Amino acid sequence: MTRATGTKEQDAAPRPVRQRDAFFDNAKYLAIVLVAVGHAWEPLRQGSRTVTALYMLVYAFHMPAFIIVSGYFSRTFDGSPARLGRLLTGVVVPYVVFETAYTLFTRWTSQDPGRPVTLLDPLYLTWFLAALFVWRLTTPLWRLVRWPLPLALAVAMLATSAPSIGQDLDLQRTLQFLPYFVLGLLLRPEHFRLVRRREVRILAVPVAACALAVAYWAVPRMDYAWFFHADSAPELGVPLWYGPVMTLAAFGCSLVLVGCFLAWVPGRRTWFTVLGAGTLCGYLLHGFVAQAAKYWGWYEPAWVRGPAGVVAATLVAGVVVTALCTPSVRRVFRPVTEPGMVWAFRATAATKAGARRAAPRPRGPHAGGTAHFCAREHRHGEGPQRGREAEEG
């Protein structure tokens, strides 16, 4: 047997397909549930210090957790044609579609009947897609510089001092959330294993309880808009120096709470693990329900403002976003959330090679190329499929 023949047979040997990491799918699903619950609590904050404290606590870590995971799965983005194509189909296309849809929906509900359809001013929750597009494009830069996280923090601190940045592409929020994305780029699997240790899970309980107590104390003393990361210090009516200080303080608090959250995320497969692959649908679609609830007057009955109403709103939000993350809903909306759009791109050597590897092959002793390609895709944070998962997060 020649060397060439032996190499060919080795390449054709079947290799086991690695499964999606259940931990990250669980984390994405639980994070999107918290996003939906936070939106459900929003109209209930007035007059309730407890709801406002819970709202502040959730907003302190749910988007940072989402963004850190997105950064983690963006580590292999190198600006290659294949990855740029996935960035366009997995981020830009959903942004254009849902920015238009939310604008038309806002007109219909008369919240802003004269709002123009524009792609420069993200509406409601579409800001995340615009920000993810910018963050991922800059990934090669953050992998190049010597101290990426301190530099990203400096950018965020300066952003809080610059109200002139404006609202184009929600750049203020994009820059202020940038450190979380850069942190995700720097993380490795062992860092996530560190927060999942038993002693960390136990410690997370009193830490989270203390955080809730601090949030309750801070309600009348602090503007929780700092956790939105959407405005500069002058826009929040405080001295300029508050911005950099609050950026560092919020970053520290958020990291502690993200650690607590990840410590509680189960690492095994559960009934909701499969829903982690559909979080992009859940994120983009639940906003219509949240906005419609206000338009249809679901929060007007007096009992909704009481404890029973808060519990009901929480359960409804959880059920709705869970339904929107299911595989059936994902299949329906795949043309606008995960379009293939092969027709829109020129064929390159990389895309042709990927197509050959992904093409179905006859079963038999020489099959296995597809299994090898899938195995590489499902490694932690590596390969094209993980890039798609980050877009969903």
Side-chain angles (χ1 to χ4, degrees), residues 133-156:
F133 176 74
V134 174
W135 294 331
R136 190 163 290 166
L137 277 182
T138 63
T139 294
L141 170 65
W142 300 112
R143 297 179 62 84
L144 177 65
V145 298
R146 188 182 296 268
W147 300 290
L149 186 56
L151 179 58
L153 280 169
V155 170

Side-chain angles (χ1 to χ4, degrees), residues 38-92:
H39 288 153
W41 285 344
E42 186 177 343
L44 302 175
R45 292 170 296 170
Q46 187 175 3
S48 176
R49 185 171 178 177
T50 300
V51 173
T52 305
L54 290 170
Y55 182 84
M56 182 188 299
L57 181 67
V58 167
Y59 267 79
F61 75 90
H62 74 329
M63 284 312 298
F66 229 85
I67 295 168
I68 288 172
V69 173
S70 295
Y72 177 73
F73 285 124
S74 299
R75 293 175 301 154
T76 56
F77 184 87
D78 55 5
S80 64
R83 296 191 186 279
L84 286 173
R86 280 191 294 273
L87 181 63
L88 291 175
T89 58
V91 177
V92 175

